[in-house]
């Protein structure tokens, strides 16, 4: 059977039912690896496949669900052995029925980064091994199923597409709230998996057909792919000490037939279903044809993270701040790998109301591809907004697109043939949206008409690559009004042309309009307003500028997107309320501030007051003097209070975080190359395998306040990464943390690797399970029981 | 031999973070707190309550004592004297796993990037809440057994006493916790989401119950800062040697 043409024929395709259920019924021991039966008892497995074919299944999934190297590590068998045997058994069972065989791929059983410690790349490799074995064994299709983590589903789908040419089915498991355990929504699944080139997608396991019906309905607007539904036999209940399901096989079949109303064409069963369920399914769908009237012809323009979907159905703001252009602090952060700084830029924009974040990390001195992947991974571990991968380097672009968990935007291509032909295949492969700039080898055309023609070319070329027009966003390019005044309105005109005549979404970097002129905010706002009126969908702006976000909010009222003006009213009643209290607070503070020393604010953990106080001090004295005369004594006092139990942990950290505000002020007041307030650097890392990094982060905040520059490598840090950082930054002091007895060995390995590399550094360690004795035993120079002790160690080594 | 799944009805929606417990995890010893700090604590507790989506899975299995170990079902061997004592009166035991879910994890991660002060408070709130979730679940399961003339021991988790953490994947595997509640075990044997618990409870006759929650079962006994200060962490009802 040719699966792809069968899917296209829109005829029903009948899958099998539960395998685990049947294996348990035939005596599989609890906790035993079901896939080992392919080798130990092939006849049992074959019997089950045959029973499904006999019941009416046209495709069976081979008994390979958990046949990955991770899960099989506790068995004596290899992935190749188990998969080869599994596919062979299914093939034998399929032969008399002319049936097809799916290579079944389930979750790896270990969660991926950022929540877990398995990297995306490792997950990809594990899946690729399964795919290659399945291909070789002669599977007809690949069925990735029961996924609850979109990132894992993406790794599996990429592995399937890059290591085989077989059709790929992908189904995920949802809870009744319409989300998976990891928070993935139905729309995010559909947008991402269709983009990545799945042949059919859908829902399996976790719920019965009645509950899945509601979730399948939610899926309809978001995909044009053939749909799969493979529910459990109902919801489980206990009867006489046994699990049974709340509906009978007969009811199962009846419920399954209802999916034809939704245009679902691939039907089967999951846990608890048996050949009886499938027979009932087949009987109930017999002679019926699916109704496709509820299926959509195209997917709406939208991007998503794994949890947040942003349809481009109204003006959506792209935050522009994650970009080093013209920002000395950002450049420094990139050069130092200071991810905290970059994440902070993202958080500020998210809180200011950005819908999407642009990510540009291009700097001549760094490996942009590596930095892009690291930044994307770090941002998506904290912020759930969709990202726009912004790079002119195809390697960096691909690195970002590949490791993104969702459907991102690529910024950008332009009208040059060589750019289009280099980047559009990436857009197609990773299923992202793309920004097309209306310029080509001849530069930016002056007239709207000429820019329109380039937009048209980009659209046509994208479609030729199989990219849907709703995924092409055109940037008609803002020119500086001070230099080319007569072209300002040409841009607005071009936006209108592209929007109306090509029907494409439009994007525009707005702030460039005011370059070189005073009161830039005013020009920006008026230009933004004019562009929105002409049909701009995606302004790229600084969302931290209130007037720009206000303009967008106001425009939503006029365009009708903000129905009943509810959002507008909420925004501005809130703003005026905030405005009055804020100014009141400032006034009250202005009185008290004069009475209080900066040390008081630090002790009380008052961040803003500390910052203000530091600003006033900077008018009187040098930064370094403030550090030594005011900040360090205050922090020492805080440390003493903590050690004597006068304050407790949150108060210690709050004080440190307040002091950090003062340090930021002082650093900002000094030239970028002045490092006189800086000591160190110190490398900090939570060791490989461990994700408990709260202790390490506290140490970091406290140490930073004593002027130490911290290179924070994060959590679950590979041994080599620590060694590399120590060598690269010529570090003399390294702090390692581990919270589990199981991760102490990787702490020991890290220490050994540092010693063997010949690094001349001292190492201190900390974490709940460590003792001074054990620290010595594994070769550390110091043990610190808390952050304050870490300060003493740093002072001893670095001064 | 078969697992008997348990589906006690547990109402989680009413469970609020126990503020005393939360403060205790933060090392609170009666220090004076500014109103700002009290507000932050409240805010963090509320954030965790809103983000938590408690889920559990539990099932009963046969258990048989072995030399210095207990065999649970066919595939799970629990080594150690302590688990043997814990299950000394039991021919059946209950394995349970509970989690607050991923959203709590995300909220804590997000705050780590904005404010460590709040991240630490959120972490403590979540630690308090998962214990309360387990208490509520344990109570319902105990009522279920008591209704048929049986009782349950306290919860015993791997990592307590001499029961090694290495049995964790065996417990999550037997319960299929990844599939049923989204709870996985990393290769370093960390439960993910982090705010999760697995435990073993023996099915016993009424009157056979005794407290196992003493410091003597704790691996951290030597380092415990609570003990040094003459109080307990909450796992232990009294300080014991």
């Amino acid at each position: 059977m040719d699966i792809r043409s069968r899917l296209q024929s829109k005829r029903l395709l009948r899958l099998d039912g539960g395998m685990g259920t049947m294996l348990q019924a035939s005596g599989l021991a609890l906790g035993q690896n079901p896939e080992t039966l392919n080798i130990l008892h092939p006849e049992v497995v074959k019997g089950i496949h045959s029973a499904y074919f006999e019941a009416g299944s046209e495709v069976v999934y081979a008994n390979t669900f958990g046949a990955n190297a991770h899960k099989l590590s506790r068995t004596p068998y290899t992935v190749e052995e188990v998969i080869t045997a599994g596919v062979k058994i299914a093939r034998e069972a399929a032969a008399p029925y002319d049936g097809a065989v799916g290579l079944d791929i389930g979750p790896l059983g270990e969660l991926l980064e950022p929540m877990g410690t398995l990297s995306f790349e490792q997950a990809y490799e594990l899946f690729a091994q399964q795919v290659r074995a399945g291909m070789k064994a002669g599977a007809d299709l690949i069925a990735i199923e029961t996924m609850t983590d979109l990132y894992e589903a993406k790794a599996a789908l990429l592995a399937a597409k890059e290591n085989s040419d077989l059709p790929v089915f992908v189904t995920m498991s949802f809870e009744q709230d319409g989300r998976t355990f990891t928070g993935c929504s139905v729309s995010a699944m559909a947008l991402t998996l269709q983009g990545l080139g799945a042949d059919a997608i859908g829902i399996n396991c976790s719920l019965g057909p009645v509950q899945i019906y509601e979730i399948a309905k939610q899926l309809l607007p978001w995909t044009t792919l053939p749909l799969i539904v493979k529910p459990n036999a109902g919801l489980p209940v206990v009867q006489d000490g046994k699990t049974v399901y709340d509906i009978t096989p007969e009811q199962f079949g009846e419920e399954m037939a209802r999916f034809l109303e939704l245009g679902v064409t691939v039907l089967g069963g999951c846990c608890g279903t048996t050949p009886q369920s499938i027979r009932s399914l087949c009987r109930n769908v017999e002679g019926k044809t699916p109704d496709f009237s509820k299926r959509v012809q195209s997917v709406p323009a939208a991007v998503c993270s794994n949890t947040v979907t942003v349809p481009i159905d109204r003006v959506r703001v792209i935050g522009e701040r994650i970009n080093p252009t013209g920002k000395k602090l950002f450049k420094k952060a990139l050069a130092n790998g200071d991810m905290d700084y970059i994440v902070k830029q993202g958080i500020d924009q998210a809180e200011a109301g950005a819908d999407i974040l642009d990510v540009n990390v291009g700097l001549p001195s760094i490996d942009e591809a590596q930095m892009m992947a690291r930044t994307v991974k770090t941002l998506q571990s904290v912020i759930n907004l969709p990202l726009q991968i912004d790079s002119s380097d195809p390697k960096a672009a691909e690195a970002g697109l590949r490791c993104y968990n969702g459907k991102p935007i690529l910024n950008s291509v332009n009208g040059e043939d060589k750019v289009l032909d280099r980047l559009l295949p990436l857009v197609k492969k990773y299923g992202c949206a793309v920004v097309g700039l209306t310029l080509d080898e001849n530069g930016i055309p002056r007239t709207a008409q000429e820019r329109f023609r380039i937009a048209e070319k980009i659209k046509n070329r994208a479609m030729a690559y199989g990219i849907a027009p709703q995924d092409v966003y055109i940037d008609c390019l803002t020119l500086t009004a001070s230099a080319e005044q007569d072209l300002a309105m040409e841009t607005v005109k071009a936006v209108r042309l592209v929007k109306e005549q090509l029907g494409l979404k439009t994007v525009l970097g707005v702030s460039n309009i005011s370059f070189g002129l005073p009161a830039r905010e005013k020009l920006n706002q008026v230009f933004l307003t004019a562009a929105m009126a002409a049909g701009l969908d995606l302004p790229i702006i600084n969302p931290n500028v209130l007037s720009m976000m206000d303009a967008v909010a106001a425009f939503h009222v006029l365009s009708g997107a903000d129905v009943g003006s509810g959002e507008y009213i909420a925004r501005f009643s809130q703003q005026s309320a905030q405005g009055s209290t804020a100014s009141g607070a400032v006034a009250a503070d202005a009185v008290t501030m004069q009475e209080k020393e900066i040390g008081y604010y630090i002790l009380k953990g008052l961040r803003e007051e500390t910052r203000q106080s530091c600003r006033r001090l900077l008018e009187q004295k040098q930064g370094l003097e403030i550090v030594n005369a005011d900040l360090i004594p205050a922090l020492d006092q805080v440390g003493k209070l903590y050690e004597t139990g006068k304050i407790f942990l949150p108060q210690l950290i709050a004080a440190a975080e307040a002091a950090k505000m003062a340090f930021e002020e002082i650093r900002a007041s000094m030239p970028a190359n002045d490092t006189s307030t800086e000591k160190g650097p110190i490398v900090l890392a939570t060791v490989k395998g461990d994700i408990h990094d709260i202790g390490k982060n506290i140490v970091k905040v406290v140490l930073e306040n004593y002027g130490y520059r911290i290179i924070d490598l994060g959590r679950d840090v590979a041994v080599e990464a620590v060694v590399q950082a120590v060598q690269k930054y010529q570090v003399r002091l390294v702090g390692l943390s581990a919270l589990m007895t199981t991760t102490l060995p990787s702490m020991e390995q890290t220490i050994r690797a540092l010693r063997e590399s010949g690094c001349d550094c001292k190492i201190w360690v900390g974490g709940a399970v460590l003792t001074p004795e054990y620290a010595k035993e594994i070769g550390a120079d110091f043990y610190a029981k808390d952050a304050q002790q870490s300060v003493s160690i740093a002072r001893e080594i670095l001064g | 031999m078969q697992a008997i799944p348990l589906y006690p009805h547990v109402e989680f929606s009413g469970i609020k973070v126990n503020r005393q417990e939360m403060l205790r995890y933060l090392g609170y010893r009666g220090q004076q707190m500014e109103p700002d700090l009290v507000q932050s604590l409240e805010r963090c507790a509320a954030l965790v309550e809103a983000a938590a989506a408690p889920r559990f899975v539990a099932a009963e299995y046969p258990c048989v004592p072995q030399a210095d170990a207990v065999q649970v079902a066919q595939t799970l061997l629990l080594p150690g004297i302590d688990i043997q004592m814990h299950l000394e009166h039991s021919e059946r035991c209950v394995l349970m796993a509970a989690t607050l879910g991923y959203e709590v994890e995300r909220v804590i991660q997000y705050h780590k990037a904005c404010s460590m002060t709040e991240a630490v408070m959120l972490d403590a709130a979540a630690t308090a809440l998962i214990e309360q979730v387990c208490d509520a679940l344990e109570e319902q399961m105990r009522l279920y057994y008591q209704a048929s003339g049986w009782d349950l021991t306290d919860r015993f988790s791997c990592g307590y006493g001499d029961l090694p953490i290495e049995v964790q994947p065996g417990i999550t595997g037997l319960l299929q916790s990844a599939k049923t509640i989204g709870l996985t075990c990393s290769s370093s044997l960390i439960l993910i989401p982090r705010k999760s618990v697995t435990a073993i409870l023996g099915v016993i006759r009424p009157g056979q119950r005794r407290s196992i929650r003493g410091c003597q079962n704790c691996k951290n006994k030597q380092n415990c800062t609570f003990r040094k200060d003459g109080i307990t962490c909450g796992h232990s009802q009294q300080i014991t040697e």
Side-chain angles (χ1 to χ4, degrees):
Chain A
M1 183 193 323
D2 180 60
I3 298 289
R4 283 204 177 98
S5 54
R6 178 62 183 272
L7 288 174
Q8 268 164 11
S9 76
K10 297 193 167 184
R11 279 166 50 217
L12 276 183
L13 182 62
R14 298 169 183 85
L15 305 178
D16 59 358
M19 170 58 76
T21 321
M22 298 293 290
L23 287 175
Q24 267 166 27
S26 32
L28 174 73
L30 284 176
Q32 193 189 341
N33 223 307
E35 291 77 19
T36 57
L37 293 188
N38 294 346
I39 291 160
L40 298 173
H41 291 288
E43 71 291 348
V44 174
V45 180
K46 186 178 170 186
I48 295 168
H49 289 319
S50 299
Y52 278 121
F53 280 121
E54 196 53 41
S57 300
E58 300 163 275
V59 176
V60 299
Y61 289 3
N63 183 31
T64 54
F65 181 83
N68 61 69
H70 180 67
K71 281 190 176 169
L72 291 179
S73 63
R74 272 173 252 120
T75 74
Y77 308 110
T78 66
V79 170
E80 288 72 19
E81 284 166 349
V82 172
I83 286 183
T84 307
V87 173
K88 179 169 169 269
I89 297 163
R91 285 241 74 94
E92 284 169 13
Y97 302 89
D98 195 22
V101 172
L103 170 73
D104 195 5
I105 296 183
L108 297 168
E110 185 173 346
L111 198 74
L112 270 66
E113 56 186 343
M115 297 285 182
T117 53
L118 188 70
S119 76
F120 179 77
E121 294 74 19
Q122 286 170 319
Y124 172 90
E125 282 307 327
L126 288 166
F127 287 126
Q129 187 186 11
Q130 290 173 269
V131 169
R132 287 190 292 263
M135 269 288 277
K136 212 170 150 194
D140 300 302
L141 69 122
I142 294 168
I144 298 162
E145 62 168 349
T146 327
M147 291 288 167
T148 54
D149 179 4
L150 183 64
Y151 210 27
E152 188 173 2
K154 174 170 177 173
L157 179 50
L158 271 178
K161 301 282 292 180
E162 292 179 351
N163 295 280
S164 85
D165 49 13
L166 296 178
V168 191
F169 291 4
V170 190
T171 54
M172 293 184 71
S173 300
F174 293 84
E175 299 303 296
Q176 294 207 37
D177 62 1
R179 290 195 180 254
T180 69
F181 288 135
T182 62
C184 175
S185 64
V186 171
S187 56
M189 168 186 82
L191 288 168
T192 307
L193 299 180
Q194 173 153 7
L196 287 165
D199 291 274
I201 61 171
I203 302 160
N204 81 297
C205 204
S206 74
L207 299 169
V210 178
Q211 298 77 27
I212 286 183
Y213 187 84
E214 296 307 313
I215 299 168
K217 273 204 292 201
Q218 295 174 31
L219 184 53
L220 297 183
W222 297 103
T223 184
T224 55
L225 290 176
L227 295 181
I228 309 163
V229 169
K230 217 171 178 279
N232 288 348
L235 294 178
V237 286
V238 176
Q239 230 170 50
D240 305 326
K242 281 186 180 167
T243 301
V244 294
Y245 289 88
D246 66 348
I247 57 174
T248 62
E250 189 46 47
Q251 287 167 316
F252 179 84
E254 287 164 20
E255 290 296 333
M256 289 306 290
R258 291 183 61 210
F259 285 99
L260 301 186
E261 301 161 12
L262 302 181
V264 178
T265 48
V266 187
L267 297 174
C270 203
C271 304
T273 59
T274 61
Q276 216 186 338
S277 322
I278 297 302
R279 189 165 290 121
S280 159
L281 187 165
C282 294
R283 201 167 47 238
N284 278 282
V285 298
E286 177 95 59
K288 293 182 185 152
T289 48
D291 172 5
F292 294 102
S293 62
K294 292 192 182 71
R295 298 300 312 272
V296 291
Q297 298 306 306
S298 65
V299 179
V303 292
C304 67
S305 66
N306 62 330
T307 55
V308 173
T309 297
V310 177
I312 319 298
D313 55 355
R314 61 193 289 181
V315 174
R316 300 289 185 182
V317 170
I318 302 178
E320 68 183 4
R321 300 294 295 164
I322 302 178
N323 192 320
T325 312
K327 299 189 200 114
K328 68 173 187 186
L329 287 176
F330 202 110
K331 284 181 184 156
K332 195 176 162 194
L334 278 179
N336 291 336
D338 178 0
M339 301 312 284
D340 285 0
Y341 182 88
I342 299 171
V343 167
K344 189 73 181 42
Q345 302 293 316
I347 286 181
D348 287 348
Q349 295 182 89
E351 301 210 327
D355 298 295
I356 297 163
L357 299 180
D358 186 86
V359 182
N360 183 318
V361 292
L363 199 66
S365 59
I366 63 167
D367 179 343
E368 191 184 339
Q370 199 190 4
M371 187 44 113
M372 180 60 90
R374 186 170 171 208
T375 307
V376 166
K377 284 186 177 189
T378 308
L379 284 170
Q380 69 191 3
S381 74
V382 178
I383 300 168
N384 52 19
L385 295 182
L387 301 181
Q388 171 164 288
I389 312 295
D390 181 356
S391 177
S392 51
D393 171 1
K395 277 208 192 89
E398 177 159 18
L401 297 177
R402 190 171 180 87
C403 71
Y404 185 63
N405 186 9
K407 176 182 177 184
I409 307 171
L410 174 65
N411 185 15
S412 56
V413 298
N414 60 46
E416 281 183 73
D417 289 315
K418 67 172 198 290
V419 172
L420 289 169
D421 294 329
R422 195 169 53 202
L423 289 174
L424 289 179
L426 287 182
V427 173
K428 174 64 186 165
K429 176 177 177 185
Y430 292 102
C432 58
V434 62
V435 171
L437 310 179
T438 53
L439 59 82
D440 57 19
E441 42 277 85
N442 303 315
I444 304 175
R446 293 185 68 80
T447 67
Q449 226 8 284
E450 289 169 289
R451 291 187 218 176
F452 172 83
R453 271 197 290 276
I454 296 179
E456 195 171 33
K457 173 181 177 184
I458 294 171
K459 177 187 179 180
N460 291 337
R461 188 69 58 88
M463 288 177 72
Y465 276 103
I467 298 161
Q470 61 269 25
D471 285 332
V472 178
Y473 310 157
I474 295 296
D475 186 338
C476 294
L477 298 167
T478 304
L479 296 168
T480 304
S482 60
E484 306 196 70
Q485 193 168 8
D486 50 333
L487 295 190
M489 293 314 281
E490 280 302 305
T491 300
V492 175
K493 212 189 282 176
V495 168
R496 189 182 301 280
L497 279 175
V498 168
K499 190 70 187 280
E500 287 176 356
Q501 297 190 23
L502 293 179
L504 298 182
K505 300 294 177 189
T506 58
V507 52
L508 205 55
V510 173
S511 329
N512 200 29
I513 193 74
S514 60
F515 195 77
L517 287 169
R520 292 190 61 180
E521 211 179 304
K522 291 199 172 30
L523 259 183
N524 291 347
Q525 193 188 348
V526 171
F527 184 63
L528 169 65
T529 310
M532 289 191 293
L536 175 62
D537 301 288
L538 296 157
I540 306 180
I541 59 175
N542 178 357
N544 304 318
V545 177
L546 204 58
S547 63
M548 296 296 270
M549 297 303 280
D550 287 348
V552 173
F555 183 75
H556 285 325
V557 172
L558 304 183
S559 72
D562 179 3
V563 179
S565 313
E567 296 166 28
Y568 183 84
I569 293 165
R571 176 180 182 87
F572 287 98
S573 54
Q574 221 174 54
Q575 247 181 42
S576 54
Q578 271 174 2
S580 60
T581 52
S583 59
V586 168
D589 282 349
V591 181
T592 53
M593 283 247 182
Q594 282 152 9
E595 301 162 9
K596 309 284 188 194
E597 307 254 337
I598 192 166
Y600 172 83
Y601 299 117
I602 291 175
L603 177 58
K604 294 293 172 195
L606 299 169
R607 296 197 206 187
E608 204 37 48
E609 288 80 352
T610 304
R611 183 194 289 280
Q612 298 297 339
S613 177
C614 185
R615 274 192 197 150
R616 280 193 299 276
L617 283 174
L618 277 167
E619 289 164 13
Q620 302 155 25
K621 40 186 174 179
Q622 293 290 313
L624 194 59
E625 198 186 333
I626 300 174
V627 171
N628 290 325
D630 300 284
L631 301 185
I632 300 288
L635 287 163
D636 279 340
Q637 196 203 349
V638 169
K640 273 204 196 78
L641 289 171
Y642 178 69
E643 279 172 352
T644 52
K646 298 279 184 342
I647 60 173
F648 73 127
L649 188 61
Q651 293 168 316
L652 171 75
I653 307 169
E657 291 191 311
K660 198 173 168 186
M661 298 292 124
F663 275 98
E664 278 177 14
E665 284 301 312
I666 291 167
R667 298 233 167 91
S669 76
M670 302 192 330
N673 55 2
D674 183 343
T675 54
S676 59
T677 59
E678 221 172 70
K679 289 177 281 185
I682 297 172
V683 158
L684 285 183
T686 298
V687 300
K688 183 76 202 155
D690 213 323
I691 53 165
H692 301 88
D693 61 350
I694 284 199
K696 180 216 66 186
N697 292 357
I698 295 170
V699 168
K700 173 184 170 186
V701 174
V702 173
L703 281 177
E704 276 175 339
N705 287 329
Y706 281 85
Y708 297 103
R709 188 182 134 211
I710 304 297
I711 296 161
D712 180 6
L713 301 179
R715 58 187 202 177
D716 185 28
V717 181
V719 172
E720 314 80 65
V722 178
V723 176
Q724 273 165 20
V726 169
Q727 287 171 337
K728 180 172 170 194
Y729 299 102
Q730 297 174 355
V731 171
R732 286 165 50 214
L733 184 60
V734 177
L736 300 174
S737 82
L739 199 85
M740 303 277 293
T741 50
T742 48
T743 53
L744 288 178
S746 59
M747 179 177 268
E748 193 176 354
Q749 281 161 22
T750 310
I751 295 173
R752 201 180 315 129
L754 281 168
R755 302 294 187 214
E756 282 167 5
S757 71
C759 293
D760 179 25
C761 63
K762 298 286 180 192
I763 301 163
W764 97 99
V765 295
V769 291
L770 277 161
T771 60
E773 297 73 39
Y774 192 78
K776 200 173 281 171
E777 204 181 306
I778 60 174
D781 298 294
F782 303 94
Y783 161 80
K785 73 171 169 59
D786 57 22
Q788 274 317 115
Q789 255 188 19
S790 299
V791 173
S792 310
I793 294 166
R795 278 177 163 169
E796 189 184 326
I797 303 302
L798 302 172
Chain B
M1 280 196 293
Q2 204 207 350
I4 303 174
L6 302 171
Y7 300 101
H9 179 75
V10 191
E11 194 50 66
F12 289 124
S13 58
I15 300 184
K16 299 283 170 212
V17 170
N18 181 326
R19 308 303 203 257
Q20 292 307 317
E21 288 292 299
M22 175 181 171
L23 278 170
R24 201 159 53 159
Y25 289 122
L26 289 168
Y28 183 64
R29 309 270 195 280
Q31 288 92 341
Q32 193 198 334
M33 288 191 279
E34 301 290 316
D36 273 8
L37 180 62
V38 176
Q39 260 179 29
S40 285
L41 285 163
E42 277 305 309
R43 195 178 93 85
C44 289
L47 273 174
V48 166
E49 285 159 5
R55 289 193 172 90
F56 67 87
V57 55
E60 182 196 290
Y61 302 86
C63 59
V64 184
Q66 310 275 315
D68 297 341
V70 179
Q71 179 72 44
V72 175
Q74 290 134 295
T75 51
L76 180 64
L77 187 71
L78 301 176
I81 303 296
D82 292 316
I83 187 67
Q84 218 179 26
M85 282 173 62
H86 179 60
L87 297 177
E88 66 181 332
H89 301 300
S90 307
E91 293 174 349
R92 298 174 288 156
C93 67
V94 171
L95 299 189
M96 57 161 272
T99 180
L100 296 184
Y102 288 94
E103 191 53 30
V104 167
E105 207 80 338
R106 240 189 297 275
V107 167
I108 296 174
Q109 270 316 102
Y110 183 83
H111 283 80
K112 276 183 195 167
C114 315
S115 159
M116 273 309 294
T117 314
E118 295 199 338
V120 167
M121 295 195 273
L122 290 164
D123 195 76
T127 305
L129 191 60
I130 185 62
E131 285 301 324
Q132 292 170 254
V133 162
C134 290
D135 288 344
L137 170 60
E138 179 183 325
E139 187 188 333
Q140 288 306 315
M141 293 197 297
R142 179 164 289 117
L143 287 174
Y144 168 80
Y145 278 97
Q146 284 171 346
S148 52
W150 295 88
D151 199 354
L152 286 177
T153 64
D154 283 342
R155 303 196 295 274
F156 195 97
S157 295
C158 52
Y160 287 11
D162 63 357
L163 181 62
I165 191 99
E166 279 69 20
V167 303
Q168 193 74 277
I171 295 172
T172 53
L174 209 47
L175 287 169
Q176 294 196 298
S177 67
K179 196 168 131 184
T180 46
I181 59 170
L183 171 61
T184 62
C185 181
S186 83
S187 43
S188 302
L189 310 177
I190 298 170
L191 291 176
I192 296 171
R194 272 187 321 120
K195 298 303 173 187
S196 305
V197 167
T198 67
I200 304 146
L201 304 89
V203 179
I204 50 175
R205 285 294 181 190
Q208 292 176 326
R209 189 173 167 205
R210 63 186 183 89
S211 176
I212 50 107
R213 290 181 156 195
C215 302
Q216 76 273 17
N217 291 314
C218 181
K219 274 199 172 167
N220 201 32
K221 192 170 104 179
Q222 298 310 320
N223 297 313
C224 178
T225 46
F226 291 108
R227 267 173 69 85
K228 283 174 197 159
D229 286 3
I231 56 173
T232 69
C233 67
H235 284 294
S236 170
Q237 276 104 23
Q238 74 278 343
I239 299 201
T240 51
E241 280 310 314

